[in-house]
Amino acid sequence: MSAVDDTQQKRSATIAVIGSGTVGRSWAACFVRGGHHVRIYDVDADHAVTTIAWVRDALRTSGLSDTEVDSCAARVHVVPTLEAAVNDAIWVQENVPEDTLIKSQIFQALDKAANRQAILASSTSAIPASQFVSSIAGRNRCLVAHPINPPHLIPLVEVLATHWTDERVLARALKFLRDLGQEPVLIRREIQGFVSNRLQAALINEAMSLIGKGIISPADLDLCVSRGLGLRWAFLGPLETMDLNAADGFEGYARRFKNSYFELGKDLNVDRRWTKSATDQIAQWRRSILPAREIGKRQIWRDHLIVKLRRLIDSSTR
Ligand SMILES: NC(=O)c1ccc[n+]([C@@H]2O[C@H](COP(=O)([O-])OP(=O)(O)OC[C@H]3O[C@@H](n4cnc5c(N)ncnc54)[C@H](O)[C@@H]3O)[C@@H](O)[C@H]2O)c1
């Protein structure tokens, strides 16, 4: 990376957010909290306007004072065209629907309109970027920066280059995300679903199968994670968990349990469709304890707990 690029990234820069749905608006909060100016473009003009109020609430939830919220919100602008959003931006975060054709069209337009130095990043959850940037001239500056929702509260970002991505672009991207306070992990090769969603799919598909077969109730299944595995996973990865689950560490754990994992692995049902019986049971259970109109309230409760938990974890010696 050149000295010019480095300086440009450190000072308050302009960031473009394309698509301001669930993930785009949370990225906007994250960028503006990091000191940047944010320009948001969404095809749905009404949607884009409600974003500012949403960003203000998100910043408040993440612990900013009213004065800080005001000063951050003053740097968020909703603009009427994609060109106006990317003009002068050093980073463009694409958050349009998970559809290869829509993403291909957007990346064509972004590549034409954006400053030549700008990095074009996609929030895609599962589609390798090669599938939507192959035919654009500036494919060497495109990559995936996949957040875990909501990125203004959860720091992990999966970064994936394509085989066209310039090494210096990748290095700048990782640095930009770290400077922002996010925690990027590099996925070394393009793979469908990346890593977090592959892990999530394995767990969720097996959960659906167990519920569908009547082996456990939806409420008890959730307890297995919320009052069991998840208490460790909130601050340890599954690999460190294994290391601490044996007096002789991971080597002893692997020796004792690798055969059980192999046998269990053969019995799992991670490649089946979710059955109607499983989805009906879960929907019935959820709506019996949380009416649909109260989902927003419960999301706020979740977000406050994430903030408290992160503070607790960050303040503990690691
Ligand atoms: N929701 C999640 O938990 C999550 C997490 C990580 C990544 N993602 C990824 O982020 C992307 C967006 O997902 P989302 O959940 O925010 O979707 P969403 O449906 O909430 O938002 C998509 C937004 O894009 C806008 N849009 C559609 N076409 C557009 C265009 N041509 N130009 C500009 N705006 C356009 C829509 O009006 C909408 O506001 C997807 O690729 C998704 O896989 C989602």
Side-chain angles (χ1 to χ4, degrees), residues 18-271:
I18 308 298
S20 62
T22 306
V23 160
R25 51 182 55 189
S26 175
W27 265 127
C30 198
F31 294 134
V32 81
R33 189 183 55 200
H36 299 299
H37 292 264
V38 175
R39 294 210 203 99
I40 301 172
Y41 166 67
D42 194 293
V43 271
D44 178 350
D46 290 344
H47 204 254
V49 171
T50 59
T51 298
I52 305 256
W54 192 95
V55 167
R56 292 185 73 92
D57 285 344
L59 292 169
R60 220 170 272 120
T61 305
S62 74
L64 267 54
S65 68
D66 286 349
T67 318
E68 290 167 327
V69 170
D70 287 344
S71 101
C72 282
R75 295 197 303 275
V76 183
H77 301 283
V78 173
V79 296
T81 62
L82 177 145
E83 288 73 18
V86 302
N87 181 30
D88 288 341
I90 63 145
W91 181 278
V92 179
Q93 187 73 39
E94 166 276 309
N95 317 276
V96 301
E98 188 78 343
D99 178 301
T100 307
L101 183 62
I102 299 177
K103 291 202 189 281
S104 299
Q105 290 163 347
I106 284 283
F107 269 79
Q108 286 283 0
L110 292 176
D111 190 44
K112 285 201 181 94
N115 179 327
R116 301 267 31 115
Q117 295 297 314
I119 291 177
L120 310 182
S122 173
S123 287
T124 176
S125 303
I127 313 171
S130 312
Q131 293 181 20
F132 53 85
V133 304
S134 62
S135 62
I136 72 168
R139 60 194 183 183
N140 64 331
R141 57 171 166 155
C142 300
L143 43 74
V144 168
H146 168 237
I148 305 298
N149 190 53
H152 71 282
L153 299 181
I154 298 186
L156 190 92
V157 183
E158 294 182 317
V159 175
L160 285 89
T162 68
H163 58 270
W164 301 294
T165 311
D166 190 313
E167 288 282 318
R168 288 163 303 178
V169 166
L170 181 59
R172 271 174 60 205
L174 294 169
K175 182 171 188 317
F176 171 78
L177 291 166
R178 283 191 198 107
D179 287 349
L180 194 63
Q182 301 301 100
E183 292 180 34
V185 290
L186 182 65
I187 312 298
R188 294 183 187 152
R189 206 155 27 93
E190 286 196 303
I191 182 170
Q192 192 75 25
F194 318 146
V195 172
S196 300
N197 277 333
R198 291 178 78 95
L199 294 175
Q200 191 162 238
L203 182 82
I204 289 180
N205 286 353
E206 178 61 14
M208 290 295 180
S209 159
L210 293 168
I211 291 165
K213 287 189 212 157
I215 287 169
I216 194 166
S217 70
D220 282 354
L221 185 293
D222 252 15
L223 287 176
C224 289
V225 176
S226 64
R227 306 301 287 174
L229 300 171
L231 287 178
R232 297 188 301 224
W233 286 349
F235 59 98
L236 296 176
L239 308 183
E240 186 173 357
T241 299
M242 287 190 280
D243 195 36
L244 302 185
N245 266 0
D248 46 358
F250 175 74
E251 297 86 337
Y253 187 94
R255 207 170 38 251
R256 280 192 286 284
F257 297 115
K258 65 182 179 191
N259 288 337
S260 313
Y261 276 99
F262 175 65
E263 291 304 324
L264 263 181
K266 290 192 290 184
D267 196 48
L268 296 178
N269 289 304
V270 295
D271 61 349

Side-chain angles (χ1 to χ4, degrees), residues 275-296:
T275 61
K276 185 166 172 353
S277 155
T279 54
D280 283 354
Q281 283 183 65
I282 296 167
Q284 205 174 31
W285 165 62
R286 287 308 304 160
R287 293 296 69 80
S288 71
I289 55 171
L290 183 76
R293 65 177 178 283
E294 287 180 19
I295 289 176

